[in-house]
Amino acid sequence: MRDIESRADIEQLIIQFYEKVKQDATIGFIFTDVVQMDWSHHIPVIVDFWETILLDNPVYKKNAMEVHYDLNKKVPLQQQHFSSWLQLFNSTIDELFAGKTATLAKTRAKGIADIMLLKMNKENDKHSVL
Ligand code: HEM
């Protein structure tokens, strides 16, 4: 199996990942009902994000945390959502690629998901009346 080497590889990974996401019982509704995703807009943005991380080409200039804070107001994002997200992301990588960059993608996804969960939890606690 090949490693992730190009933007086209990332694009393939992301398209296949979202096919799984849309059908997932735990997080699918977030993408299909809560946010009616404009995929033709979103896919190039998330490919930019991963190209920045994996191919060291700084094409993503936005703040990825921001959109999740907004989303978190509509659906409090919790452990089970991140577990499903990561499981789908990792299994898509394993279906398509193997190597140093494929492993890096999984490691970085886990790191970012952990931080994101902590930040969302903190935000949710702030608004708790208990
Ligand atoms: C509970 C897990 C997650 C859910 C439900 C989720 C959901 C979403 C949704 C619905 C959007 C689109 C928002 C919009 O355009 O209005 C989005 C954007 C994005 N997500 Fe996530 N996400 C999750 C975890 C992650 C993780 C772990 C990463 C990174 C490793 C990530 C990276 C991104 C990026 C880069 C964008 C695009 C941000 C931008 O527009 O600049 N997401 N996510």
Side-chain angles (χ1 to χ4, degrees):
M1 226 186 257
R2 293 193 305 111
D3 200 357
I4 299 168
E5 284 164 358
S6 65
R7 183 174 175 92
D9 290 342
I10 297 174
E11 220 160 45
Q12 187 192 6
L13 165 66
I14 293 302
I15 289 168
Q16 201 154 311
F17 166 61
Y18 281 129
E19 282 311 309
K20 291 183 199 285
V21 165
K22 282 187 259 183
Q23 295 165 36
D24 184 75
T26 310
I27 57 170
F29 78 99
I30 298 174
F31 293 85
T32 55
D33 299 347
V34 178
V35 178
Q36 266 129 36
M37 296 289 289
D38 176 353
W39 295 104
S40 60
H41 168 79
H42 177 67
I43 287 174
V45 175
I46 192 138
V47 173
D48 281 353
F49 176 79
W50 284 109
E51 184 172 344
T52 301
I53 293 176
L54 300 177
L55 305 179
D56 212 7
N57 184 21
V59 283
Y60 181 79
K61 315 257 188 220
K62 292 161 67 186
N63 180 345
M65 229 25 106
E66 217 59 58
V67 302
H68 299 87
Y69 275 121
D70 288 342
L71 181 58
N72 187 56
K73 289 181 195 143
K74 298 177 197 154
V75 187
L77 296 176
Q78 290 164 341
Q79 179 68 63
Q80 73 267 23
H81 302 119
F82 287 97
S83 298
S84 294
W85 192 103
L86 278 173
Q87 193 264 318
L88 297 172
F89 191 73
N90 290 343
S91 66
T92 313
I93 292 178
D94 291 339
E95 278 165 25
L96 295 170
F97 301 104
K100 231 173 93 180
T101 309
T103 302
L104 177 66
K106 291 187 271 186
T107 312
R108 294 302 301 271
K110 170 86 171 88
I112 296 164
D114 285 351
I115 291 168
M116 216 181 253
L117 174 61
L118 276 176
K119 291 194 173 198
M120 298 309 136
N121 277 343
K122 217 165 152 189
E123 194 61 22
N124 295 337
D125 289 349
K126 245 199 278 190
H127 303 300
S128 165
V129 291
L130 299 175

